[in-house]
Amino acid sequence: MARISLEPRRTVLYRLSEWYSRRTYGDVLDPLRAIGHNRRVMMADARFEMAVGKWKALDPQLKLLAQMAASHVIGCSWCTDFGYWLAHRAGMPEQKLHAVPGWRDDRGQFTDLELDVLEYAEEMCRTSPQIDDDLADRLLRQLGEAAFVELTAIVAVENLRSRMNSALGLTGQGFKDRCELRPRSGAGTAVASGA
């Protein structure tokens, strides 16, 4: 249950943001409802997210995998729910979506580069990040400097989103159910991420 009311004052700015959210995602996102209580935070977040949306150096599928891994490690159920929906909408294969939480045990679903991205995202999410130099070198060689910087930044952004949403008590909003993902036979309930 959310720790804050998800019914902020309906200012002009909030109503405009609400309209955009419905148009883009089919619903008003709970994180928007929560930050709608603080106009300055909401405006800063909107500017920030618009800027993040323009980052194009990193392959979009790798970006989604990094976000899903990060929010899974942090334990943000809202981000997990939304991340499934975003990745499904972007055409990520269902098998990969289900394999993200247990990628170390289901490595066959991923390329070597994707495995490195998942590991990097997890390591960055530790309270004291412990990035192995060999892992960073492999990613730099395969991605190049611009995409490596973007990978690092998107994992940090997902840390911000996931930690904020978790602290506000936001939980799944039903986005995962909208993409009709079903657990693979023999697999437990999969939990991934993303915002």
Side-chain angles (χ1 to χ4, degrees), residues 64-84 121 125 155 158-159 161-163 166 191-195:
L64 285 166
L65 284 173
Q67 290 172 297
M68 291 172 73
S71 61
H72 175 69
V73 169
I74 292 165
C76 177
S77 64
W78 192 93
C79 300
T80 296
D81 175 47
F82 191 62
Y84 265 113
C125 293
V155 173
E158 190 56 40
N159 262 271
R161 293 171 182 149
S162 294
R163 291 178 188 278
S166 291
V191 179
S193 70

Side-chain angles (χ1 to χ4, degrees), residues 69-187:
S71 61
H72 175 69
V73 169
I74 292 165
C76 177
S77 64
W78 192 93
C79 300
T80 296
D81 175 47
F82 191 62
Y84 265 113
W85 182 77
L86 285 175
H88 182 267
R89 197 169 114 175
M92 187 174 291
E94 191 171 327
Q95 297 85 347
K96 271 189 187 176
L97 289 171
H98 289 294
V100 169
W103 66 268
R104 291 180 190 276
D105 298 323
D106 199 358
R107 300 173 75 83
Q109 298 294 329
F110 305 99
T111 67
D112 288 343
L113 176 57
E114 289 170 338
L115 290 168
D116 284 346
V117 165
L118 291 165
E119 181 178 357
Y120 188 74
E122 277 192 4
E123 293 302 321
M124 272 191 67
C125 293
R126 293 182 187 276
T127 300
S128 296
Q130 299 177 12
I131 306 302
D132 179 83
D133 288 338
D134 291 336
L135 174 60
D137 289 342
R138 283 194 312 271
L139 286 166
L140 269 167
R141 276 193 313 274
Q142 294 178 80
L143 297 174
E145 291 177 337
F148 180 73
V149 168
E150 188 170 314
L151 171 62
T152 303
I154 201 65
V155 173
V157 167
E158 190 56 40
N159 262 271
L160 168 73
R161 293 171 182 149
S162 294
R163 291 178 188 278
M164 187 169 172
N165 291 341
S166 291
L168 290 171
L170 304 181
T171 58
Q173 198 173 335
F175 281 96
K176 181 176 143 185
D177 297 335
R178 295 174 199 176
C179 57
E180 300 179 19
L181 288 178
R182 303 290 177 248
R184 293 177 300 165
S185 60

Side-chain angles (χ1 to χ4, degrees), residues 4-18:
I4 187 168
S5 161
L6 298 180
E7 296 181 21
R9 237 172 32 104
R10 297 190 45 77
T11 64
V12 172
L13 175 64
Y14 179 76
R15 285 182 290 163
L16 179 63
S17 300
E18 192 177 49

